[in-house]
Amino acid sequence: MTSGTTRRRFLAAGAQAAAASALPASIARAAAIPADVRSGTIADVAHVVILMQENRSFDHYFGTMKGVRGFGDPVTVPLPGGRSVWAQEAADGRLVAPFHLSTQAHFELMRVAGTPHSWPDAQAAWDQGRMQRWAAAKTERAMGHFTREDLEFQFALAENFTICDAYHCAVHTGTNTNRLFLWTGTNDPTGTLGGPSIGNSHDELATKGGHPDSYRWTTYPERLQAAGIDWRIYQDMADNFTDNPLVGFAAYREAQPGSPLYDRALTTHGLDQLRADVVAGTLPQVSWIIADAKSSEHPGPSSPAQGAAYTAAVIDALTANPKVWARTVLIVNFDENDGFFDHVPPPAPPSRDPNAPGAFVGASQIDTANDYHQIPSVADEKSERPELIGRPYGLGPRVPCYVVSPWSRGGWVNSQVFDHTSVIRLLEQRFGVQEPNISAWRRAVCGDLTTAFDFRRPNKPAAPALPDPRPLAARAAALPSQPEPSAPDAAGQAPAQEPGIRRARALPYALDVHEAALDAQRIALRLECPGAPVVVQVYDRLRLDAVPRRYTLKQGGTIEAEWPLDADGRYDLWLLGPNGFHRHFAGQGPAHAGEVDWQLRRIGAPALVVQAPAGLISAWPRHPALHPLGQGETRVALTATGGWYDLVLTDPDAPGYRRRLAGRIENGTDGWSEPPLTNVKVSQID
């Protein structure tokens, strides 16, 4: 959202007085208080609290953190000319790289200025999956990132609870539209009920300058109300940074004082009241929290330090009554990425084919009718561009998401694909109130957050030492201005990511790709998905100016697709899927047609089975100590790597021939994040 004073009312920046209570001790209780286990299921959760903060991307905050998919990602998007995704084109044509916003050296970078973050520039940065002109669309400072030394509290919170490294914002645009997905599951793509929303037109009550026409679709709080589920929004109506999207709906604009919608959604209930409700044992079953401007983490009026202090205050309030916290889940997420860079291409429905009206670049086995911008937005006409009609709405870039609860302690990472509608689906699972606004495609591709918890065997209590964020927040609030740093020229290398791994939750994915045919004119692939629905993105490295193909496979689905060889008979296909899944098919001509096959299957422990024909050499690019695989069927045990593998097949008689397989075999048990495999010994079995 904009940070101009004409659009936002926020308190003048100033030093924040330290509270009397000892916040770190209270927050440590959040990790030490055991879950109140009754049924060993999600039914043990009595309260879900959602705090949505503002405008940070995952790489911007956690690209350097160990054990997440950050700057050390071994398989990334290919860009033209052989450059990496870490070399982004700026407006002046320079190639620029991610750079450290070192607050230790220059504390004013804690308040780095924001970047463009509207529908047109977000679509330009994503570029339908090509991901190559982020700095040009979002400014060079979009490449800035923090590290552990800058975000001590955020890193500590993630390392004591669960962080999701495949949580995406819902749509490629700004705040209000993304918040609509959190509160309603949709932005009204058909335009029949006041939408579609692609901007911030309805982020105020009509009487306070908001768009006079109201949204008219049903919100999730209304569904909770109808089902008898207690709910509330905790906010300061004098300064909620216009972050309450319900103010754009007729049902709320017409609500009168004393009515449930007015009293629960449009009145002031601050963190003092949140604490009082927790202490009294009257915390609602579902609560949303909206920060004031200076606490929102939004670049400009706020900062990571001020957001940390606010998050700490929320946790302090929720742990004021251990009996309540023992049955509470806190979700802390971010509405959108501002314009800050994230390197992971978001899963999305296939783009429309610019060369074939009515056709798509790729395919989906799940209905995508409600996932495209087909109807121009009257209310957000300033954001409209004719060339963007027909574009997919999302998913948008990754944003941070912490799952803080007695059932998610222990420093886990969860890599299942989620978005803002996943929060509603968690509420569906717990309270049984369904949200029909969520599209079929989004419901299939995005999880419901339940894999982030262990309800049956909660983690053992721990007592972490979390830093007190208040002194740093006061220092940040006193900064007089917001710097606008430039990015350095790209060296083609990503910033260093901390070494090490972290515990990772079991995921529902099972996916593979095989050669279906190869002849003098084409290569055909067969995509198979026995696990949860997935999006596979295919980059033709010989035609990187083209829109990459995207395939959405349903559970049990199979898709066959083919690509033409170039004039020299070459092919070079680069496939990306969830949780590090990667396949690379490259070569020239049909020399190995039908000769190479592999299977991913369990042989007791997770294992990889490869059929390697005579003359092929196999290698583990991140396992230099391993001997090449032999000819014929070879089985490789993956127990030591937790199911992770990275295998290359090459042929000394055909230098261009290459098959690479990378990913993780899921076996239904928790494991760990993708390891730096160079130092992990993997044994082979015959």
Side-chain angles (χ1 to χ4, degrees), residues 15-24 26-27 271 275 309-310 312-314 316-317 468-471 473-474:
Q16 296 178 336
S21 60
L23 276 176
S26 297
I27 297 168
L271 296 191
R275 174 186 284 272
Y310 188 81
V314 168
D316 184 55
D468 184 348
R470 294 171 297 173

Side-chain angles (χ1 to χ4, degrees), residues 338-547:
D338 203 83
F340 292 115
F341 174 73
D342 189 81
H343 79 280
V344 172
S351 292
R352 296 183 181 276
D353 191 336
N355 302 314
F360 293 89
V361 184
S364 175
Q365 295 181 321
I366 310 293
D367 178 33
T368 61
N370 290 321
D371 293 285
Y372 293 92
H373 185 56
Q374 302 183 72
I375 307 298
S377 174
V378 176
D380 297 317
E381 60 182 351
K382 291 182 180 180
S383 295
E384 281 292 358
R385 301 290 186 276
E387 67 273 17
L388 301 182
I389 295 296
R391 287 286 188 95
Y393 281 122
L395 306 177
R398 293 185 305 166
V399 293
C401 176
Y402 321 91
V403 181
V404 185
S405 78
W407 302 275
S408 55
R409 295 171 292 169
W412 294 84
V413 62
N414 185 294
S415 298
Q416 188 172 3
V417 173
F418 301 123
D419 85 327
H420 298 330
T421 64
S422 298
V423 179
I424 294 180
R425 293 185 57 213
L426 178 68
L427 299 177
E428 288 179 341
Q429 290 295 320
R430 172 55 187 91
F431 299 109
V433 180
Q434 297 300 300
E435 179 48 81
N437 286 335
I438 300 174
S439 75
W441 180 87
R442 205 172 286 263
R443 186 175 285 275
V445 169
C446 301
D448 61 12
L449 282 171
T450 55
T451 58
F453 304 92
D454 185 347
F455 294 114
R456 193 159 60 93
R457 297 181 303 273
N459 302 329
K460 294 181 179 179
L466 295 183
D468 184 348
R470 294 171 297 173
L472 206 63
R475 186 181 171 195
L479 289 169
S481 62
Q482 291 78 54
E484 299 182 7
S486 298
D489 290 345
Q493 300 293 323
Q497 184 171 350
E498 298 171 342
I501 57 178
R502 64 195 318 110
R503 289 188 287 182
R505 292 298 187 189
L507 302 181
Y509 298 126
L511 173 65
D512 204 5
V513 182
H514 296 267
E515 295 170 55
L518 176 61
D519 56 33
Q521 287 79 40
R522 67 194 175 100
I523 179 172
L525 302 180
R526 184 176 68 255
L527 292 72
E528 302 173 347
C529 181
V534 297
V535 173
V536 177
Q537 311 200 48
V538 186
Y539 294 80
D540 186 340
R541 300 212 307 174
L542 302 179
R543 304 172 181 86
L544 286 174
D545 58 329
V547 174

Side-chain angles (χ1 to χ4, degrees), residues 572-602:
D572 193 342
L573 303 178
W574 187 268
L575 286 71
L576 299 174
N579 198 30
F581 178 88
H582 171 57
R583 296 290 184 268
H584 184 197
F585 298 84
Q588 186 171 15
H592 297 284
E595 294 183 357
V596 180
D597 194 15
W598 49 79
Q599 301 175 48
L600 300 183
R601 69 177 188 232
R602 303 174 203 164

Side-chain angles (χ1 to χ4, degrees), residues 174-208:
T175 286
N176 206 59
T177 304
N178 273 290
R179 287 178 177 254
L180 288 173
F181 278 91
L182 181 74
W183 265 274
T184 77
T186 186
N187 65 334
D188 186 33
T190 62
T192 56
L193 298 170
S197 168
I198 56 170
N200 295 333
S201 56
H202 288 70
D203 63 357
E204 292 266 24
L205 292 166
T207 57
K208 296 184 177 182

Side-chain angles (χ1 to χ4, degrees), residues 303-333:
S303 66
Q306 293 160 280
Y310 188 81
T311 303
V314 168
I315 299 174
D316 184 55
L318 292 174
T319 57
N321 183 340
K323 290 185 178 180
V324 171
W325 178 251
R327 303 196 68 194
T328 296
V329 166
L330 170 65
I331 306 294
V332 182
N333 57 14

